[in-house]
Amino acid sequence: MDYSKHGTQKKEKHIRSDIPKAKHKVSFNIFRIFIFLLITIGVMGIAAGVGGMKGVLDSAPEISVEDVMPQGYKSFIYDRDGNLLTQLYQPETNRIQKDIGEIPKVLQNAFIALEDERFWEHNGIDPKGIVRAFFVGITSGDFSEGASTLTQQLLKLNVFGGGAESSMLLKFKRKFQEQYLALELEKNMSKEEILEAYLNTINLGASTYGVEAACLRYFGKSCSEVTASEAAVIAGIANSPTYFDPISYPENNKERRDKTLNDMLEQGYLTQAEYDEAMADDVYARIAARAEEQSGNQKFFTYYEDAAIRQILQDLQDKLGYTSEQAVNKLYGGGLKVYLAQDNQMQTIVDEEYHDDSNFGYINTLGLTWRCSVLEEDGSTSNYDEMTMQYWNWNNGNTGFKLLYDNADQAWADINHYKEAMGITEENTIAESFDQPYALQSSFVLMDHKTGEVKAIAGGRNEKKESLSFSRETQSERQPGSCFKILACYLPGIDAAGMTLASTKMDAPYTTPSGYSPNNWYSGYWGLTTVRKAITQSMNVVTTKFLVEDVTPSLAIEYCKKLGITTLTDDDYVESLALGGLTYGVTNLEMTGAYAAIANGGVRVRPVFYTKVVDRDGNVLLDNTNPEGEQVIKETTAYLLTDAMRDVVTQGTGTASNPNDGMDVAGKTGTTNDSKDLWFVGYTPYLTAGVWLGYDQSYPMEYTGLSETEHEYLWARIMRRIDAECGFETATFPVPDNVGTRTVCSKSGKLVGTSVCTPVTEYFDLSALPSGYCNDHIGATVCNVCGGLATGNSPSTSYQEYSSSSSIPNYYCTCQPTTEAPTSNTSASESTPTTEPPATEPPVTTPPASESTPTPVG
């Protein structure tokens, strides 16, 4: 036997028998490696998951209890007696805070039964709810089943902005963070606190947030009064405020309400009898009736509320350092309580008089408010209105075009003509609106000058059709005319420039150094005139002279600013300032406030529309209840001006403004060129009021049928009614201790010194009495036409008195001879003119015994 061969075969056999074992070993090793890799990957995955989860949780926002409390509450405006007038809120701040003790159990239970049945048991998250939602999703493919607790929903709303994520990954991230924070939150807040915050936070449709605002909106009552049926309606809205809105989609809400009631029954919150009663309730009929009632009672802010809102927004910025946006958010979302300074009885009187067309001379010409938006061919939008139409007419030669109409047909004729010229058609018109308010407008401000409280206002004659609309008493800047003479000339002149009521200037042709030549409103000139007479008769030339020669525009503007006038510019440092010729004009509120400082003995108290503003916690944010006035002029100055302005009302240009009820009244008229603006601002010992009358477009009011005293009669009617109906006793202005009287010459203003003087008694500041006696008081007969010394040719003459010989005209009458009989006191034989006046100094004459100085009527 060949052993070697057998041995070889045996060896080969052994090798062949080992091949499967080697393969098995390799496969096993690969399997082990695979398992190892799986374990490694699994461990790494778990580690990554844990790390990722840790990262998600670590990136969760840090929160406090304050962070989950609802933000934004509506604010309330009350009258001075605490009666609710209106509410202020933005779309997401229509919320009224209610403590959990004020929210009835039936309403709490409705939300718990529907949204989180294990609320009182879990610690922030509900594992059973999560598992249930997961299996519902797996079996149905619908993962919309809710598993969030009320705690999580509160976090979602107030911390995560409502949870509107852009991807599923971000949604899961938020969910994990939400659950983590829910566990943390329940360690720091009680269940009652969480539920209270949630019920005050949720969006419940119809721009309401929180259960109190929703119950008021849908049922017209507080949440503390709701029934089980009503509670289920409210709870049913929360899941989708639009889809389950009980006004717009009552059928959808009813399904949700029925489910809520069923859940409440199953969870023991309702008995069978209570359930049956709730199911039988026709709650949606009440909701529909309430909605219809509210739609028919749309309420706009009044002019007074508009003014108060604007002032509060400004005060939040000026006094508390808010930005404009922060001020709006605070007022419309801070849950503030605003108390107005308005007097309801006085406001009613003002409203009644402004609704009486007879107070405006029956001038009921209509104006025009027209708006039109047009889509242009390039896709842009162009806007047109009545003012663009007016400017187009003016620029195209129709300079007499006015927005004044008798009826709508006339207005539409102008509109259609303009639309045709602009290429506006029905096809390219996006939106168009049309209205015709009264064209002749007016504003009125009534205030207590001691407290600064504005008691009543009128912003116009028409029905108010929107909130925060244009308000003429606070926003319209109009030329003040002669009302400004007091503020810019006589007040600073008496207070700081040495003038008295007896100071004099010559009323004669005058040109300022800059070339400005003022004209009087009356014809001719009245000669030497005192401050009192210049105020009483509203004299232009004399006033300008006092401003230029004594006061200066610089001092005038300094005082006007101290009096609260904010509209003056660098361009107003001119001579016409004294006559009210301003760059922009002034508002009625600022004009009335300036006169109120005079009425208040020289103490300016800022005009205010509210007494105080209180936050949700009862802290006073803004307080006007104890105003600190500023002494801007001397008390003596205030009284001297007051006494002179009494003459305006009793014997001067403002007699139509006299209420004639025994109450002491002082004030000043104002009329601008072409009667574009008519003013009267005056006061009694109790109240100061200003009235303005005119067209918004500053059209002239001459030849319109107005007597141009309608505004004065309106002022008098309002003040007379207020005196009688509001219980003001008849009173006179008190004379300060440091004001006294002296007898002075009516022409020179000096103490009486000669027999030629006409003595008058005048008031003076006792520390600024007139110095010296009148020893140069002389007179002359002058021509009333040219102002020169009278000659036989003078068509009309009068005797004038002067404070000195240098004041007498230094030329003779230059009028041409007339064939008519002379009207002067010169004899017929003296009518032959001389070719030249004598070379000697003009003569000084004494008045004829039968002649007296005429008293002009203005």
Side-chain angles (χ1 to χ4, degrees):
M1 179 179 290
D2 189 348
Y3 289 100
S4 61
K5 182 179 179 180
H6 287 289
T8 302
Q9 290 175 342
K10 186 177 180 181
K11 186 176 181 180
E12 289 176 355
K13 184 178 179 180
H14 176 73
I15 293 172
R16 285 179 185 146
S17 65
D18 285 345
I19 288 175
K21 292 180 180 180
K23 288 182 178 179
H24 177 72
K25 186 175 182 180
V26 171
S27 298
F28 179 73
N29 288 336
I30 292 174
F31 176 73
R32 284 196 305 171
I33 293 171
F34 177 72
I35 294 299
F36 176 76
L37 289 174
L38 283 178
I39 294 172
T40 302
I41 292 171
V43 171
M44 291 176 64
I46 293 172
V50 172
M53 181 63 70
K54 185 176 185 301
V56 168
L57 299 182
D58 286 345
S59 65
E62 294 184 8
I63 64 168
S64 64
V65 172
E66 185 65 27
D67 295 320
V68 300
M69 302 305 290
Q71 300 298 314
Y73 293 90
K74 68 168 62 177
S75 295
F76 301 91
I77 295 181
Y78 301 90
D79 66 15
R80 63 188 307 111
D81 298 321
N83 300 308
L84 179 63
L85 297 175
T86 191
Q87 304 171 9
L88 305 175
Y89 55 87
Q90 295 172 313
E92 295 186 4
T93 63
N94 186 11
R95 176 184 290 112
I96 304 172
Q97 172 71 26
K98 281 292 177 180
D99 294 336
I100 193 65
E102 300 175 285
I103 303 173
K105 287 292 184 180
V106 68
L107 187 53
Q108 298 178 36
N109 294 337
F111 279 93
I112 291 171
L114 182 63
E115 299 287 342
D116 189 0
E117 63 179 296
R118 283 174 288 277
F119 173 74
W120 298 108
E121 303 167 11
H122 61 65
N123 60 354
I125 60 175
D126 182 10
K128 290 182 180 180
I130 294 172
V131 172
R132 183 197 69 241
F134 176 77
F135 278 106
V136 169
I138 291 294
T139 56
S140 66
D142 181 6
F143 285 91
S144 63
E145 178 78 13
S148 294
T149 64
L150 294 184
T151 310
Q152 289 176 248
Q153 291 182 44
L154 179 63
L155 288 161
K156 175 184 175 181
L157 293 170
N158 289 342
V159 176
F160 293 101
E165 291 81 18
S166 59
S167 68
M168 186 61 70
L169 181 62
L170 291 176
K171 182 176 181 179
F172 276 121
K173 176 183 178 181
R174 188 257 303 165
K175 280 286 188 182
F176 287 132
Q177 292 180 341
E178 197 175 87
Q179 292 171 352
Y180 166 70
L181 292 176
L183 294 171
E184 294 299 311
L185 187 62
E186 295 226 1
K187 297 176 183 177
N188 297 290
M189 292 180 69
S190 69
K191 288 289 188 179
E192 289 78 8
E193 291 172 331
I194 292 171
L195 184 59
E196 177 185 305
Y198 173 78
L199 294 176
N200 280 296
T201 294
I202 47 177
N203 180 357
L204 292 172
S207 298
T208 63
Y209 289 78
V211 293
E212 177 70 0
C215 290
L216 290 170
R217 175 67 176 88
Y218 297 120
F219 310 123
K221 59 184 178 182
S222 172
C223 68
S224 61
E225 304 174 72
V226 296
T227 64
S229 173
E230 293 166 343
V233 168
I234 298 297
I237 301 171
N239 183 261
S240 178
T242 300
Y243 186 75
F244 294 120
D245 184 328
I247 297 175
S248 303
Y249 304 102
E251 299 85 0
N252 298 345
N253 183 274
K254 186 177 184 306
E255 291 182 11
R256 192 74 171 168
R257 183 205 68 154
D258 293 350
K259 181 183 186 309
T260 304
L261 291 173
N262 187 66
D263 289 347
M264 294 176 73
L265 176 65
E266 291 181 353
Q267 295 173 35
Y269 292 121
L270 291 178
T271 65
Q272 186 65 48
E274 291 169 335
Y275 170 80
D276 293 340
E277 180 183 358
M279 288 294 290
D281 180 29
D282 189 10
V283 65
Y284 296 100
R286 297 199 304 277
I287 293 174
R290 169 71 176 168
E292 183 177 358
E293 175 189 338
Q294 288 192 310
S295 65
N297 292 328
Q298 186 176 13
K299 183 180 182 297
F300 301 113
F301 297 150
T302 65
Y303 282 118
Y304 197 101
E305 289 163 356
D306 283 353
I309 288 169
R310 291 183 175 116
Q311 188 173 66
I312 292 168
L313 289 174
Q314 193 62 51
D315 285 354
L316 287 171
Q317 298 172 65
D318 295 343
K319 296 184 177 183
L320 300 182
Y322 284 68
T323 65
S324 175
E325 182 178 358
Q326 288 171 338
V328 170
N329 291 337
K330 188 68 174 178
L331 182 56
Y332 284 83
L336 306 181
K337 292 182 178 180
V338 175
Y339 296 90
L340 300 185
Q342 184 179 35
D343 185 290
N344 294 334
Q345 187 176 12
M346 296 182 190
Q347 184 66 63
T348 297
I349 293 171
V350 172
D351 291 341
E352 289 175 353
E353 295 298 333
Y354 264 75
H355 291 154
D356 184 350
D357 291 344
S358 67
N359 286 330
F360 302 92
Y362 293 101
I363 304 299
N364 295 328
T365 304
L366 301 175
L368 176 62
T369 301
W370 171 70
R371 304 286 184 271
C372 185
S373 296
V374 175
L375 181 64
E376 304 291 358
E377 292 182 358
D378 61 1
S380 63
T381 300
S382 297
N383 297 308
Y384 302 87
D385 59 25
E386 72 277 3
M387 296 309 296
T388 63
M389 181 172 73
Q390 178 172 266
Y391 295 144
W392 179 83
N393 276 275
W394 289 350
N395 292 333
N396 284 274
N398 189 4
T399 55
F401 180 84
K402 295 178 182 178
L403 298 167
L404 302 177
Y405 304 97
D406 293 326
N407 53 57
D409 291 341
Q410 293 177 356
W412 275 114
D414 281 347
I415 292 171
N416 290 330
H417 176 65
Y418 176 59
K419 289 170 70 173
E420 182 180 357
M422 296 294 102
I424 301 173
T425 65
E426 291 186 9
E427 289 72 21
N428 62 14
T429 298
I430 301 173
E432 187 172 20
S433 63
F434 174 91
D435 189 27
Q436 285 196 282
Y438 285 133
L440 183 64
Q441 282 299 331
S442 180
S443 69
F444 190 85
V445 175
L446 176 70
M447 63 179 288
D448 183 332
H449 42 253
K450 293 182 174 62
T451 65
E453 294 180 357
V454 178
K455 296 298 186 180
I457 61 173
R461 295 177 61 195
N462 302 293
E463 177 187 357
K464 200 166 184 291
K465 297 183 177 180
E466 60 181 333
S467 295
L468 296 176
S469 58
F470 178 69
S471 196
R472 294 170 184 84
E473 83 289 349
T474 58
Q475 294 181 301
S476 182
E477 297 174 359
R478 305 294 300 214
Q479 295 300 317
S482 296
C483 281
F484 220 63
K485 291 174 179 174
I486 299 295
L487 308 183
C489 179
Y490 297 111
L491 182 149
I494 294 174
D495 202 64
M499 292 165 49
T500 71
L501 292 180
S503 297
T504 59
K505 292 289 183 186
M506 179 62 64
D507 183 23
Y510 175 66
T511 299
T512 69
S514 68
Y516 173 61
S517 299
N519 294 312
N520 289 319
W521 60 268
Y522 48 85
S523 61
Y525 301 91
W526 294 349
L528 201 61
T529 305
T530 63
V531 165
R532 178 182 288 275
K533 183 177 179 181
I535 291 174
T536 303
Q537 300 300 335
S538 197
M539 300 170 69
N540 292 342
V541 173
V542 171
T543 301
T544 305
K545 281 187 175 182
F546 274 119
L547 176 76
V548 173
E549 298 172 5
D550 297 86
V551 178
T552 75
S554 179
L555 181 64
I557 287 181
E558 178 186 337
Y559 267 85
C560 286
K561 289 180 177 180
K562 288 196 292 184
L563 291 164
I565 306 298
T566 64
T567 54
L568 300 176
T569 71
D570 290 343
D571 295 329
D572 289 318
Y573 287 85
V574 292
E575 295 93 336
S576 59
L577 170 70
L579 307 184
L582 309 180
T583 303
Y584 296 116
V586 295
T587 66
N588 194 343
L589 180 67
E590 290 192 354
M591 179 74 81
T592 304
Y595 271 78
I598 305 173
N600 195 33
V603 178
R604 178 182 181 268
V605 183
R606 184 181 72 124
V608 293
F609 291 91
Y610 66 94
T611 57
K612 62 181 178 180
V613 176
V614 181
D615 68 14
R616 285 199 307 122
D617 299 320
N619 302 310
V620 177
L621 295 181
L622 298 169
D623 191 358
N624 291 322
T625 54
N626 294 299
E628 294 183 4
E630 178 185 2
Q631 190 82 41
V632 292
I633 60 174
K634 291 179 288 190
E635 184 183 21
T636 54
T637 300
Y639 181 78
L640 296 175
L641 292 170
T642 295
D643 194 64
M645 286 191 284
R646 280 198 293 197
D647 287 354
V648 173
V649 175
T650 58
Q651 57 187 290
T653 58
T655 55
S657 62
N658 193 341
N660 293 312
D661 60 354
M663 187 72 76
D664 220 355
V665 177
K668 184 69 185 73
T669 55
T671 305
T672 61
N673 291 342
D674 302 320
S675 298
K676 293 179 179 178
D677 299 274
L678 300 176
W679 290 84
F680 181 77
V681 186
Y683 49 91
T684 71
Y686 304 103
L687 300 167
T688 301
V691 63
W692 166 85
L693 182 71
Y695 291 105
D696 287 337
Q697 297 83 4
S698 294
Y699 299 143
M701 286 184 285
E702 291 181 322
Y703 316 115
T704 61
L706 283 170
S707 68
E708 298 188 12
T709 55
E710 277 81 3
H711 61 300
E712 296 180 49
Y713 285 116
L714 174 61
W715 192 95
R717 272 190 286 272
I718 291 174
M719 299 305 287
R720 184 164 54 246
R721 285 190 60 186
I722 288 174
D723 289 344
E725 298 174 30
C726 299
F728 290 102
E729 296 181 358
T730 302
T732 58
F733 297 110
V735 182
D737 293 338
N738 49 350
V739 168
T741 60
R742 291 293 185 274
T743 300
V744 296
C745 174
S746 63
K747 294 300 180 181
S748 68
K750 297 179 181 180
L751 299 174
V752 173
T754 70
S755 61
V756 179
C757 296
T758 302
V760 295
T761 301
E762 186 56 271
Y763 281 106
F764 292 93
D765 180 335
L766 294 179
S767 64
L769 292 171
S771 59
Y773 288 87
C774 179
N775 55 10
D776 55 358
H777 187 223
I778 54 180
T781 301
V782 297
C783 174
N784 289 335
V785 177
C786 68
L789 292 170
T791 69
N793 293 330
S794 301
S796 175
T797 65
S798 63
Y799 178 77
Q800 300 288 348
E801 294 182 348
Y802 301 91
S803 60
S804 66
S805 59
S806 62
S807 300
I808 297 176
N810 60 1
Y811 61 93
Y812 282 90
C813 173
T814 58
C815 294
Q816 296 299 317
T818 177
T819 57
E820 298 179 1
T823 58
S824 70
N825 57 3
T826 306
S827 65
S829 61
E830 295 175 334
S831 63
T832 305
T834 54
T835 56
E836 293 183 5
T840 60
E841 186 176 294
V844 176
T845 60
T846 58
S850 60
E851 190 174 39
S852 62
T853 304
T855 302
V857 178

